[in-house]
Amino acid sequence: MKYLFLGILFLWLPAQLPAAAQATKAGRGGAASPHSPARKAPDTTPYLAPTTAPVPNWLPDQARPSQPSATILHHLVDTKLDLRPDWSRQWLQGTATLTLRPHFYPQYQLVLDAKGFDIKSVELLSAGRKGRDLKYTYDKKKLIITLDRTYQRTEQYQVRIQYVAKSNELPKGGGSEAIIDDKGLYFINPLNTEKGKPRQLWTQGETEGSSCWFPTIDRPNQRMTQEISLTVEADQKTLSNGLLVSSRRNTDGTRTDTWKLNQPHAPYLAMLAVGNFAVVSDTWRGKAVDYYVDPAYRNTAKQVFGNTPEMLEFFSKKLGVDYPWDKYAQVAVHDFVSGAMENTTASTFGQQLVQFTPRELADVPYDGSESVIAHELFHQWFGDYVTNESWGNLPLNEAFADYSELLWAEYKYGPDAAALVQRNKLRTYLEEAQVKREPLIRTSYNNHEDLFDRHSYDKGGRVLHMLRNLVGDDAFFASLTRYLNQNKLSAVELSKLRMAFEETTGEDLMWFFDQWFLQRGHPELRVTHSYENSAVVLRVRQVQDTLYQPVFRLPVTVAVWSGNQSTQHRLVITQADQTFRLPALQRPSLVKFDNEGILLAAIDEAQTPEELQFQLSHARGYLQKIQAMEGLKSKSSDLLVSSAFRVALTDPFWATRVAALEGLRRYRGAEGSVVRKDLQQVALSEKHGAVRATAINVLSSFANEDFAGVYEAALIDSSYLVTAAAVDALAKSPAPTTRAQVARLQKTRNPALLKSLSGFYGLNGTLDDYDWFLQRSQDAQPEVLYVLLENFGRLMNRIPPVEREKGLQRLENLARSHPQLYVRLGAYKGLNELTGSMPTLKTTLQDIRNKETDSNLKAMYSLVQ
């Protein structure tokens, strides 16, 4: 899970937010476990370099504790819960009946995770007899039960625990960039006091949040069947894992729904959701596929989620393993603490990712909500059906879910769409790698939440892409079929995946798994070539710091173009500095290293402008085109280059058209009038909203030039992205009529447009706009607040100090107490905007920094100038 979200990766965070804040889990889901055969767990403690060379900033600065897989003393066989929410007190009244048996050694004591409960009773249940009270101790974290006798591994027993879960009374803290809070159980607007927000109850189990709402053994290497009976108000809808097996109306006006999951899954995948949902029904091969949304979004739910049955069919056939569960539901909830979560049979999504008005739908790209939907669905195989046995093996969940985004894009939208996913994921990993480099599989870390990063997601997905390219498509998917079938309904470590590939291919792949999963870093390559004696002389140097990273073994394809024909050369790089001679009868027009963009590497490839122009005109896909255009940006005033960019404005793939527009930004060449005409034409008539918006943004880069007619037309465009781009452009040089035109947009709820409006008023607003900021700082979505709050501070610089009190108090409260770190950061930046005119705020900012408990956010504060 946890879409880093994709996040993270958070999916919707502004681009200007520092990379460290952007890591998250789409769906939240190396170093091998100490039990891996024929393999030593990697040492992740800092190296002591034998030279005076500086230690890289991405190396951990201190030793971290070893985190082996949890020892299994008992098997958690089955969990039955009888639950009733108390909305007024935000408690959950519960009775848990747990069926267990010892794993191997005889046991007379049971230790359960149970966080922040009031324990009412603990009983041993015996067939045909009344429950017998058991002795126990409880410290608000662990419930230690003394059994009535010693049990053998062949004996099952049942305990019944009556309790009250009080998650709001748990100590604050925990969470990660992927999951911002870890209290497990969440009441949203429980007293109906927040206008415009529904009353909901939902849970978030990963990583160890399930034990905040029921007693369990909260480890990923446990598996249990499950039955949850949930008593709610009669007009509320419920959702949980498995099938709804009964729904009973009670004499007190409530209703009890019972959900049953017959196949075992890990405790962290248990879920429930309660609310006034509209349920939109779909099917796949006779199985229910349901979408739970706010009633206002009933009519657009199928447009957002409607590809789910096709995804189920595609993934089932591609993996050779049919979707293994009885149903699949997806629910949108408010104030979710992650992007999305892959609960077994019932994925949860933050509502901002999947609930859109009809107008907003046009701006939702396939690599937006659709990628998150694919990500969480793929987890139903990788994470739910087969589960990582420890959090250190997290990429066995998350790398696969991340890679599903590319697989779906490739199948549904074609190779260019897949290439865009590949490029974006590689870039986000390389950004994180500037400050952090870890093995994918980690046996040593401070907190398991630290593992939900761009390594587990984006790097892991790119490693799988290389593995697929190495063994070939048939072997790759046959290996996954073997892996899923051999390990179904169990917990695994990395060696299981390696063995599935080795058994399928007959190859020893230890080198690949060791290099990419168990060691840190990535290759940094400098590639040059020359032509001599009827051969291309290709030199490849690995220039990464090899004190702390390996010299990588890299299978790679190099294309040599002669005229309009290319020859593919398959090479294997094994040395830090290696030269290859590739036969060529004439000087080539282009030599392209890593021709298909497979490598997870930072590549500095020496190419002449002539080679780049040839590459752009002969490119066979998006990756080659974008790489050529980026290399030619500085040459855009050259007539041949600008002409090539203009031709690319009609490329079939929208992201290529966006890149071509960016190549013409601030164009100063001889074709100025023609280029401007082309840009205006794209802004007014291009079919894709993101391309129109980019054209407007590029037009605004021409200082002191009047494109007001284009911008004003865009203010009533069907796309919010285009309208937002027009507001941004007009903010730089507003006309006398601009303010009135922009004011007509103030009531919007669209995040992109709200950000742009806040920017407009931050630059051009007056005291008349102060109340707009006060209102929107209360009701805007969190992803908007990061931008809006900084602009609020800019506005207040231009209003009388006597009027600022409410705004200052609002910013300070949000900076100190908002649950989402990037909102706190935005509020902090808003206050910082005012320190020039209000120097006393520096003391307030210092106090906020001192009292902040999130280490990542404290580090970001130091970047605020």
Side-chain angles (χ1 to χ4, degrees), residues 49-119:
T51 70
T52 58
V55 174
N57 69 311
W58 42 258
L59 200 68
D61 59 1
Q62 59 183 6
R64 294 167 300 186
S66 176
Q67 304 277 9
S69 299
T71 300
I72 301 175
L73 298 177
H74 287 87
H75 283 290
L76 183 61
V77 178
D78 181 71
T79 296
K80 287 184 174 62
L81 303 175
D82 190 351
L83 305 172
R84 180 187 291 260
D86 181 336
W87 293 88
S88 62
R89 292 184 288 189
Q90 300 182 54
W91 292 355
L92 188 66
Q93 307 275 356
T95 299
T97 302
L98 309 182
T99 303
L100 305 106
R101 67 172 176 83
H103 172 65
F104 185 84
Y105 300 108
Q107 300 292 330
Y108 65 92
Q109 187 180 76
L110 171 64
V111 179
L112 297 174
D113 298 293
K115 302 187 183 82
F117 295 171
D118 285 348
I119 302 295

Side-chain angles (χ1 to χ4, degrees), residues 446-616:
N446 291 320
N447 189 308
H448 42 242
E449 296 293 346
D450 298 341
L451 307 176
F452 291 88
D453 57 14
R454 296 295 182 186
H455 285 60
S456 294
Y457 291 74
D458 299 345
K459 181 180 181 180
R462 309 295 60 76
V463 168
L464 293 176
H465 193 54
M466 289 189 294
L467 182 57
R468 176 185 175 191
N469 186 70
L470 175 68
V471 302
D473 268 26
D474 287 349
F476 181 77
F477 291 105
S479 298
L480 297 188
T481 303
R482 181 187 295 268
Y483 171 75
L484 291 170
N485 284 330
Q486 288 182 339
N487 301 291
K488 62 185 177 182
L489 301 175
S490 69
V492 297
E493 59 182 17
L494 180 66
S495 62
K496 298 286 190 177
L497 182 66
R498 175 176 60 83
M499 291 306 298
F501 272 86
E502 291 185 345
E503 290 167 2
T504 299
T505 64
E507 296 182 35
D508 186 337
L509 294 171
M510 178 73 82
W511 69 269
F512 183 93
F513 281 79
D514 178 75
Q515 171 177 284
W516 288 112
F517 285 93
L518 302 179
Q519 300 195 55
R520 59 166 50 89
H522 58 269
E524 299 171 31
L525 307 178
R526 290 182 186 166
V527 182
T528 58
H529 67 268
S530 59
Y531 181 73
E532 57 186 54
N533 298 327
S534 299
V536 172
V537 180
L538 181 76
R539 185 183 181 191
V540 183
R541 288 179 290 162
Q542 299 193 40
V543 298
Q544 68 271 11
D545 188 333
T546 54
L547 279 175
Y548 310 104
Q549 300 167 106
V551 173
F552 288 84
R553 176 179 174 180
L554 303 172
V556 66
T557 299
V558 179
V560 177
W561 286 79
S562 295
N564 292 322
Q565 299 295 320
S566 70
T567 302
Q568 309 287 316
H569 298 271
R570 184 76 168 172
L571 310 176
V572 180
I573 301 164
T574 58
Q575 301 171 24
D577 191 341
Q578 199 162 358
T579 300
F580 302 87
R581 295 183 63 86
L582 311 177
L585 296 178
Q586 61 186 31
R587 181 178 297 276
S589 306
L590 171 67
V591 176
K592 187 70 189 83
F593 182 81
D594 190 23
N595 186 51
E596 298 175 350
I598 301 296
L599 289 183
L600 191 163
I603 303 175
D604 178 6
E605 183 178 11
Q607 290 178 283
T608 66
E610 292 73 24
E611 286 180 298
L612 289 170
Q613 290 175 43
F614 183 92
Q615 179 175 321
L616 181 55

